[in-house]
Amino acid sequence: MPSIQLRTPIPGPRSQELAKRRIAAVPRGIYLGTPMYVARAEGAILEDVDGNRFLDFAGGIGCLNVGHRAPRVVAAIHEQVDRHMHTCFQVSPYESYVALAEKLNQLTPGKFAKKTFFVNSGAEAVENAIKIARAYTGRPSVICFEDAFHGRTFMAMSLTSKTHPYKAGFEPFPGDVYRVPFAYCYRCAFSLTYPSCEVHCARHLEDVFRRVVAAESVAAVIVEPVLGEGGFIVPPQEYFGILAEICRHHNILLIADEVQTGFGRTGALFASERYGIEPDILVTAKSLGGGLPLAGITGRAEIMDAPGSGALGGTFGGNPVACAAALAVIEEFERGKLSDRANALGERFHQRARSWQSRWPIIGDVRGLGGMQAIELVRESREPAEEETKQVIKLCYEHGLLVLSAGSYGNVIRMLMPLSMTDEQLEEGLAVLEKALQSVCEKSHHIAAQPA
Ligand SMILES: Cc1ncc(COP(=O)(O)O)c(C=O)c1O
């Protein structure tokens, strides 16, 4: 499925039948993004059970940076399936787990000795990072950020910011979690402006230690280098340097949640590299497995060895098929220059989005790092345009393009396309997005569309 002529999908009998079965069999808590049911996928294209084809700007929520069914990944999976599929690494270990741990120890930022282990999901990796930080420091508290997303298990929910639909009704959450404002320059919590603010939001942490929680009680600060679900919020370049220095000063561990930013998305293998920081613990998932469920926790060797034998692990963590896929993903990055591709795709998107911004005031902010790009949609006085965002995404779907929203206010459209996407595919997708934005702008009575 190399190229695509985007067309309006026509729901056929098979997807309609599946929709009925889904409603009867699956709880409504499992959100329904689109009504299509996938039959096949390749590169940046999905085909549904009725033969409709879609261009994918969502990548299974950022899990397919190497593309759907990347040939090297598929071959590695087949090869592993023909040998063995599951033994449980803690019962009968195997080489691919160790080799992948070695690779991540080598590739994550920092030249110090590191160790890595594997679990099944981003949330599980976050949980484990906190367990290890508490075991190593002997301290209880964790600092996290407004608009952060770390997953749906209990500790991960506690660290997550957005209330609906993620947290409401599931209380109480694990305690000793303290939330501070992030570097969301477009909606600065301190009503300051960069650069004259001198990155006050990072320095504010010192104030938190006086007014909220004592520094000597804090085990870790956990942070996404660029907020993912929170709306692709990109801090100023010096932000993480300041944060890391404050953590170091108080012997607090810095945990980078690179579940969404990792594996080339921001134009480097890890976004931490873009900020020149070396986190004590770095959490990966999503695109690590090339489409299979796998997550990693990598950290300084002495920190990772704090929990005793048997204190970490899980039945399926680091499954051999997933490890084989991940080794192929890394090979793909080493050969394919996919991080450079992220920068090229991101740059094209950014330029196009800036031109939209100059035409339509609904585009309040255009931001991103490498291929992790987004637009924030607003009405007057930056009021979040959530309804309009939904309309744009629906219109895109109706013209064969899959895109995702993000943000605490649901008013951000984010780019998570496979980095293997061709320029032609990108242009085709951007043309659809442009038409959808134009149509919503022209219809909206809040916004008078300006001539181009
Ligand atoms: C930054 C971040 N951390 C953690 C998670 C949770 O990962 P998972 O859905 O694999 O549990 C996500 C998922 O979107 C994420 O974006």
Side-chain angles (χ1 to χ4, degrees):
M1 291 187 275
S3 174
I4 189 162
Q5 289 283 309
L6 293 179
R7 288 200 197 94
T8 304
I10 303 164
R14 297 195 63 196
S15 50
Q16 283 165 352
E17 159 73 9
L18 282 165
K20 276 195 205 130
R21 283 170 55 195
R22 177 197 157 108
I23 290 167
V26 181
R28 66 190 180 122
I30 301 295
Y31 174 73
L32 179 66
T34 62
M36 54 95 77
Y37 284 79
V38 183
R40 301 195 298 149
E42 192 173 316
I45 297 170
L46 297 175
E47 192 176 298
D48 79 1
V49 288
D50 295 308
N52 297 300
R53 298 208 300 163
F54 298 85
L55 185 60
D56 189 4
F57 273 17
I61 321 190
C63 296
L64 288 151
N65 290 357
V66 294
H68 292 274
R69 299 179 58 249
R72 198 168 278 118
V73 175
V74 172
I77 291 171
H78 279 300
E79 211 257 322
Q80 182 59 47
V81 165
D82 286 341
R83 290 191 291 126
H84 63 92
M85 296 204 295
H86 177 70
T87 61
C88 183
F89 185 74
Q90 292 129 102
V91 178
S92 320
Y94 36 88
E95 184 177 350
S96 55
Y97 187 117
V98 179
L100 185 59
E102 287 169 346
K103 272 281 179 201
L104 286 174
N105 294 340
Q106 176 206 330
L107 293 171
T108 48
K111 290 270 169 270
F112 39 83
K114 295 181 210 134
K115 292 194 176 183
T116 293
F117 73 104
F118 299 103
V119 292
N120 304 296
S121 70
E124 197 185 351
V126 164
E127 299 272 340
N128 276 281
I130 302 298
K131 276 169 69 175
I132 294 165
R134 283 180 170 165
Y136 178 74
T137 59
R139 301 173 175 184
S141 307
V142 183
I143 288 179
C144 60
F145 291 86
E146 286 176 6
D147 303 306
F149 183 87
H150 295 288
R152 295 169 182 273
T153 54
F154 265 97
M155 187 63 188
M157 255 195 296
S158 186
L159 298 167
T160 289
S161 183
K162 190 171 177 174
T163 54
H164 293 273
Y166 301 134
K167 299 174 71 163
F170 297 124
E171 303 88 344
F173 302 117
D176 272 309
V177 167
Y178 300 90
R179 189 174 310 286
V180 300
F182 192 64
Y184 191 174
C185 296
Y186 186 64
R187 298 183 187 277
C188 178
F190 303 97
S191 302
L192 298 172
T193 306
Y194 179 80
S196 60
C197 63
E198 295 180 357
V199 204
H200 173 77
C201 51
R203 300 180 206 283
H204 169 70
L205 205 50
E206 288 288 8
D207 200 38
V208 170
F209 296 148
R210 284 168 169 262
R211 298 166 66 195
V212 182
V213 57
E216 63 272 24
S217 299
V218 179
V221 169
I222 182 163
V223 63
E224 300 158 80
V226 176
L227 298 194
E229 305 302 299
F232 281 30
I233 299 165
V234 188
Q237 188 58 37
E238 57 274 52
Y239 177 77
F240 285 107
I242 299 167
L243 212 62
E245 186 47 43
I246 295 174
C247 287
R248 200 164 24 244
H249 179 69
H250 295 285
N251 295 317
I252 293 168
L253 302 186
L254 182 64
I255 302 173
D257 179 344
E258 292 239 22
V259 168
Q260 196 156 155
T261 53
F263 292 91
R265 177 53 54 188
T266 67
L269 196 55
F270 299 104
S272 297
E273 297 168 53
R274 299 285 317 247
Y275 285 100
I277 51 160
E278 298 176 349
D280 300 296
I281 299 177
L282 190 147
V283 175
T284 50
K286 289 199 186 274
S287 278
L288 164 66
L292 293 193
L294 183 68
I297 305 98
T298 302
R300 289 180 186 270
E302 68 276 17
I303 295 173
M304 298 299 285
D305 274 332
S309 174
L312 303 173
T315 308
F316 270 115
N319 168 271
V321 185
C323 284
L327 284 166
V329 165
I330 290 174
E331 213 185 312
E332 196 78 19
F333 269 94
E334 287 172 343
R335 289 170 180 239
K337 298 200 165 63
L338 282 177
S339 298
D340 294 345
R341 189 73 196 131
N343 283 324
L345 292 169
E347 182 55 33
R348 277 178 106 117
F349 173 83
H350 199 84
Q351 279 181 14
R352 190 71 166 267
R354 284 258 178 251
S355 79
W356 299 334
Q357 193 180 26
S358 65
R359 288 154 70 186
W360 301 312
I362 195 172
I363 316 273
D365 197 21
V366 176
R367 55 179 179 252
L369 189 65
M372 192 161 181
Q373 296 283 334
I375 48 179
E376 176 159 352
L377 272 51
V378 294
R379 299 176 189 161
E380 263 170 48
S381 310
R382 298 193 178 182
E383 185 198 336
E386 183 174 8
E387 199 41 52
E388 291 84 341
T389 306
K390 281 189 189 141
Q391 288 169 21
V392 170
I393 288 173
K394 184 164 176 283
L395 276 174
C396 286
Y397 176 79
E398 286 167 2
H399 292 83
L401 179 69
L402 301 181
V403 278
L404 293 174
S405 65
S408 293
Y409 306 107
N411 66 325
V412 176
I413 295 177
R414 58 174 155 168
M415 299 296 111
L416 283 172
M417 67 278 284
L419 303 177
S420 56
M421 177 170 280
T422 65
D423 288 344
E424 295 71 38
Q425 289 171 335
L426 179 73
E427 288 304 322
E428 215 173 345
L430 292 180
V432 170
L433 182 52
E434 182 170 294
K435 280 212 182 94
L437 284 163
Q438 182 170 13
S439 161
V440 169
C441 284
E442 283 171 359
K443 262 194 272 165
S444 168
H445 56 271
H446 303 285
I447 302 139
Q450 293 170 352

